[in-house]
PDB file of all heavy atoms in Angstrom:
ATOM      1  N   LEU A 276       4.011  14.321  -5.776  1.00 98.00           N
ATOM      2  CA  LEU A 276       4.940  13.890  -6.818  1.00 98.00           C
ATOM      3  C   LEU A 276       5.144  12.379  -6.723  1.00 98.00           C
ATOM      4  O   LEU A 276       5.197  11.823  -5.625  1.00 98.00           O
ATOM      5  CB  LEU A 276       6.281  14.600  -6.668  1.00 98.00           C
ATOM      6  CG  LEU A 276       6.264  16.118  -6.586  1.00 98.00           C
ATOM      7  CD1 LEU A 276       7.691  16.657  -6.414  1.00 98.00           C
ATOM      8  CD2 LEU A 276       5.615  16.738  -7.822  1.00 98.00           C
ATOM      9  N   PHE A 277       5.292  11.720  -7.887  1.00 98.00           N
ATOM     10  CA  PHE A 277       5.467  10.270  -7.925  1.00 98.00           C
ATOM     11  C   PHE A 277       6.845   9.912  -8.476  1.00 98.00           C
ATOM     12  O   PHE A 277       7.227  10.378  -9.550  1.00 98.00           O
ATOM     13  CB  PHE A 277       4.389   9.616  -8.792  1.00 98.00           C
ATOM     14  CG  PHE A 277       2.989   9.880  -8.322  1.00 98.00           C
ATOM     15  CD1 PHE A 277       2.168  10.773  -9.012  1.00 98.00           C
ATOM     16  CD2 PHE A 277       2.490   9.268  -7.189  1.00 98.00           C
ATOM     17  CE1 PHE A 277       0.886  11.032  -8.584  1.00 98.00           C
ATOM     18  CE2 PHE A 277       1.199   9.518  -6.746  1.00 98.00           C
ATOM     19  CZ  PHE A 277       0.395  10.401  -7.452  1.00 98.00           C
ATOM     20  N   LYS A 278       7.562   9.084  -7.738  1.00 98.00           N
ATOM     21  CA  LYS A 278       8.864   8.580  -8.175  1.00 98.00           C
ATOM     22  C   LYS A 278       8.717   7.091  -8.477  1.00 98.00           C
ATOM     23  O   LYS A 278       8.530   6.286  -7.568  1.00 98.00           O
ATOM     24  CB  LYS A 278       9.905   8.792  -7.070  1.00 98.00           C
ATOM     25  CG  LYS A 278      11.320   8.428  -7.437  1.00 98.00           C
ATOM     26  CD  LYS A 278      11.948   9.465  -8.343  1.00 98.00           C
ATOM     27  CE  LYS A 278      13.444   9.184  -8.546  1.00 98.00           C
ATOM     28  NZ  LYS A 278      14.035  10.145  -9.508  1.00 98.00           N
ATOM     29  N   PRO A 279       8.784   6.684  -9.752  1.00 98.00           N
ATOM     30  CA  PRO A 279       8.532   5.276 -10.082  1.00 98.00           C
ATOM     31  C   PRO A 279       9.661   4.348  -9.651  1.00 98.00           C
ATOM     32  O   PRO A 279      10.836   4.712  -9.695  1.00 98.00           O
ATOM     33  CB  PRO A 279       8.387   5.293 -11.603  1.00 98.00           C
ATOM     34  CG  PRO A 279       9.122   6.508 -12.050  1.00 98.00           C
ATOM     35  CD  PRO A 279       9.001   7.508 -10.954  1.00 98.00           C
ATOM     36  N   ARG A 280       9.268   3.152  -9.215  1.00 98.00           N
ATOM     37  CA  ARG A 280      10.213   2.068  -8.943  1.00 98.00           C
ATOM     38  C   ARG A 280      10.202   1.046 -10.083  1.00 98.00           C
ATOM     39  O   ARG A 280      11.228   0.505 -10.462  1.00 98.00           O
ATOM     40  CB  ARG A 280       9.811   1.311  -7.677  1.00 98.00           C
ATOM     41  CG  ARG A 280       9.858   2.033  -6.376  1.00 98.00           C
ATOM     42  CD  ARG A 280       9.482   0.978  -5.342  1.00 98.00           C
ATOM     43  NE  ARG A 280       9.521   1.466  -3.996  1.00 98.00           N
ATOM     44  CZ  ARG A 280       8.444   1.652  -3.241  1.00 98.00           C
ATOM     45  NH1 ARG A 280       7.246   1.421  -3.737  1.00 98.00           N
ATOM     46  NH2 ARG A 280       8.563   2.053  -2.002  1.00 98.00           N
ATOM     47  N   ALA A 281       8.966   0.776 -10.559  1.00 98.00           N
ATOM     48  CA  ALA A 281       8.806  -0.240 -11.604  1.00 98.00           C
ATOM     49  C   ALA A 281       7.529   0.045 -12.373  1.00 98.00           C
ATOM     50  O   ALA A 281       6.590   0.668 -11.851  1.00 98.00           O
ATOM     51  CB  ALA A 281       8.757  -1.637 -10.993  1.00 98.00           C
ATOM     52  N   ILE A 282       7.496  -0.414 -13.613  1.00 98.00           N
ATOM     53  CA  ILE A 282       6.302  -0.326 -14.451  1.00 98.00           C
ATOM     54  C   ILE A 282       5.968  -1.741 -14.900  1.00 98.00           C
ATOM     55  O   ILE A 282       6.842  -2.493 -15.346  1.00 98.00           O
ATOM     56  CB  ILE A 282       6.528   0.568 -15.679  1.00 98.00           C
ATOM     57  CG1 ILE A 282       6.964   1.969 -15.255  1.00 98.00           C
ATOM     58  CG2 ILE A 282       5.259   0.645 -16.531  1.00 98.00           C
ATOM     59  CD1 ILE A 282       7.335   2.867 -16.421  1.00 98.00           C
ATOM     60  N   TYR A 283       4.682  -2.096 -14.794  1.00 96.00           N
ATOM     61  CA  TYR A 283       4.198  -3.404 -15.245  1.00 96.00           C
ATOM     62  C   TYR A 283       3.194  -3.160 -16.366  1.00 96.00           C
ATOM     63  O   TYR A 283       2.169  -2.509 -16.154  1.00 96.00           O
ATOM     64  CB  TYR A 283       3.562  -4.179 -14.096  1.00 96.00           C
ATOM     65  CG  TYR A 283       4.509  -4.399 -12.934  1.00 96.00           C
ATOM     66  CD1 TYR A 283       4.514  -3.542 -11.830  1.00 96.00           C
ATOM     67  CD2 TYR A 283       5.425  -5.447 -12.966  1.00 96.00           C
ATOM     68  CE1 TYR A 283       5.406  -3.728 -10.791  1.00 96.00           C
ATOM     69  CE2 TYR A 283       6.319  -5.644 -11.915  1.00 96.00           C
ATOM     70  CZ  TYR A 283       6.302  -4.780 -10.840  1.00 96.00           C
ATOM     71  OH  TYR A 283       7.193  -4.966  -9.807  1.00 96.00           O
ATOM     72  N   ILE A 284       3.506  -3.677 -17.547  1.00 95.00           N
ATOM     73  CA  ILE A 284       2.675  -3.453 -18.730  1.00 95.00           C
ATOM     74  C   ILE A 284       1.933  -4.747 -19.037  1.00 95.00           C
ATOM     75  O   ILE A 284       2.534  -5.752 -19.440  1.00 95.00           O
ATOM     76  CB  ILE A 284       3.534  -3.024 -19.934  1.00 95.00           C
ATOM     77  CG1 ILE A 284       4.397  -1.817 -19.550  1.00 95.00           C
ATOM     78  CG2 ILE A 284       2.653  -2.701 -21.129  1.00 95.00           C
ATOM     79  CD1 ILE A 284       5.615  -1.642 -20.421  1.00 95.00           C
ATOM     80  N   HIS A 285       0.620  -4.732 -18.790  1.00 92.00           N
ATOM     81  CA  HIS A 285      -0.216  -5.909 -19.008  1.00 92.00           C
ATOM     82  C   HIS A 285      -0.865  -5.826 -20.384  1.00 92.00           C
ATOM     83  O   HIS A 285      -1.443  -4.796 -20.739  1.00 92.00           O
ATOM     84  CB  HIS A 285      -1.302  -6.016 -17.946  1.00 92.00           C
ATOM     85  CG  HIS A 285      -0.787  -6.158 -16.549  1.00 92.00           C
ATOM     86  ND1 HIS A 285      -0.752  -7.370 -15.888  1.00 92.00           N
ATOM     87  CD2 HIS A 285      -0.283  -5.237 -15.677  1.00 92.00           C
ATOM     88  CE1 HIS A 285      -0.267  -7.191 -14.669  1.00 92.00           C
ATOM     89  NE2 HIS A 285       0.032  -5.911 -14.517  1.00 92.00           N
ATOM     90  N   ALA A 286      -0.790  -6.909 -21.134  1.00 86.00           N
ATOM     91  CA  ALA A 286      -1.454  -6.998 -22.441  1.00 86.00           C
ATOM     92  C   ALA A 286      -2.160  -8.338 -22.521  1.00 86.00           C
ATOM     93  O   ALA A 286      -1.688  -9.340 -21.959  1.00 86.00           O
ATOM     94  CB  ALA A 286      -0.441  -6.873 -23.584  1.00 86.00           C
ATOM     95  N   ILE A 287      -3.292  -8.370 -23.181  1.00 77.00           N
ATOM     96  CA  ILE A 287      -4.078  -9.596 -23.244  1.00 77.00           C
ATOM     97  C   ILE A 287      -3.332 -10.721 -23.956  1.00 77.00           C
ATOM     98  O   ILE A 287      -3.579 -11.896 -23.748  1.00 77.00           O
ATOM     99  CB  ILE A 287      -5.444  -9.314 -23.928  1.00 77.00           C
ATOM    100  CG1 ILE A 287      -6.416 -10.470 -23.637  1.00 77.00           C
ATOM    101  CG2 ILE A 287      -5.261  -9.068 -25.424  1.00 77.00           C
ATOM    102  CD1 ILE A 287      -7.841 -10.155 -24.013  1.00 77.00           C
ATOM    103  N   SER A 288      -2.345 -10.342 -24.783  1.00 71.00           N
ATOM    104  CA  SER A 288      -1.586 -11.340 -25.544  1.00 71.00           C
ATOM    105  C   SER A 288      -0.471 -11.988 -24.715  1.00 71.00           C
ATOM    106  O   SER A 288       0.120 -12.977 -25.145  1.00 71.00           O
ATOM    107  CB  SER A 288      -0.985 -10.698 -26.794  1.00 71.00           C
ATOM    108  OG  SER A 288      -0.165  -9.600 -26.434  1.00 71.00           O
ATOM    109  N   ASN A 289      -0.175 -11.430 -23.523  1.00 74.00           N
ATOM    110  CA  ASN A 289       0.927 -11.948 -22.707  1.00 74.00           C
ATOM    111  C   ASN A 289       0.413 -12.564 -21.417  1.00 74.00           C
ATOM    112  O   ASN A 289      -0.460 -11.989 -20.755  1.00 74.00           O
ATOM    113  CB  ASN A 289       1.914 -10.823 -22.364  1.00 74.00           C
ATOM    114  CG  ASN A 289       2.560 -10.228 -23.600  1.00 74.00           C
ATOM    115  OD1 ASN A 289       2.727 -10.907 -24.608  1.00 74.00           O
ATOM    116  ND2 ASN A 289       2.902  -8.954 -23.528  1.00 74.00           N
ATOM    117  N   SER A 290       0.954 -13.716 -21.046  1.00 72.00           N
ATOM    118  CA  SER A 290       0.546 -14.354 -19.798  1.00 72.00           C
ATOM    119  C   SER A 290       1.147 -13.655 -18.592  1.00 72.00           C
ATOM    120  O   SER A 290       0.604 -13.723 -17.491  1.00 72.00           O
ATOM    121  CB  SER A 290       0.966 -15.828 -19.800  1.00 72.00           C
ATOM    122  OG  SER A 290       2.367 -15.954 -19.977  1.00 72.00           O
TER     123      SER A 290
END
Side-chain angles (χ1 to χ4, degrees):
L276 307 179
F277 301 106
K278 185 75 172 176
R280 295 183 178 111
I282 303 174
Y283 302 96
I284 306 158
H285 299 258
I287 196 168
S288 57
N289 298 331
S290 58

